[in-house]
Amino acid sequence: MFKSSKNINLVREAMFASTNEIRGTSYKSRIDDPKYQFAGKTGTSQVRRITEADRELDLKTFEIPYNERDHALYIAFGPYKSPRYALSIVIEHGGSGSSTAAPIAKKLFKLIIDRHELREKKSKQNDLET
């Protein structure tokens, strides 16, 4: 068990804010429908040292050679109100977590939750038939 549920709630709320509040790093990937609503945190794993000269160039991800692009990260759980699933997404050389990994989580949560409902229906049908 956890030493403090207060700490767990703090992390849950922060992950919710990161995804569902307007200033959150993955806000563009949120789903407003509570049925699908999830919470998550973006991340980026730097692949190489970025020099001052590199910063001044201010290149877009697609302008950087593939092997020099950062890895995109995203972790999430959902549905938020009664969590059932957790995701961890790593896109090698994908750039930022918010633009590459979080949109994948959005698609996955819709698929996973819809599939869960189908499995539940099928299970109930099978129970009635036996």
Side-chain angles (χ1 to χ4, degrees), residues 10-27:
L10 178 69
V11 172
R12 281 179 47 112
E13 290 170 12
M15 289 175 73
F16 181 84
S18 180
T19 302
N20 295 282
E21 292 182 6
I22 200 152
R23 291 184 175 267
T25 55
S26 55
Y27 180 73

Side-chain angles (χ1 to χ4, degrees), residues 15 19-20 26 29-31 33-41 74-89 101-117 119:
M15 289 175 73
T19 302
N20 295 282
S26 55
S29 295
R30 78 194 179 289
I31 301 174
D33 184 343
K35 172 181 169 183
Y36 301 104
Q37 201 168 46
F38 61 96
K41 180 64 184 99
Y74 192 69
I75 58 165
F77 67 89
Y80 181 73
K81 294 287 184 185
S82 32
R84 236 179 275 132
Y85 303 101
L87 298 176
S88 177
I89 299 171
I104 293 170
K106 177 180 184 173
K107 291 177 184 176
L108 283 173
F109 272 114
K110 287 193 89 134
L111 289 170
I112 290 167
I113 291 166
D114 285 342
R115 183 147 183 158
H116 177 83
E117 289 177 353
R119 281 194 308 267

Side-chain angles (χ1 to χ4, degrees), residues 55-101:
R55 287 187 200 287
E56 288 175 16
L57 291 174
D58 195 30
L59 298 174
K60 304 281 184 229
T61 299
F62 69 89
E63 297 173 311
I64 299 169
Y66 178 79
N67 287 339
E68 294 180 6
R69 295 177 190 170
D70 294 336
H71 301 313
L73 313 171
Y74 192 69
I75 58 165
F77 67 89
Y80 181 73
K81 294 287 184 185
S82 32
R84 236 179 275 132
Y85 303 101
L87 298 176
S88 177
I89 299 171
V90 178
I91 309 295
E92 290 183 351
H93 305 293
S96 75
S98 60
S99 63
T100 308

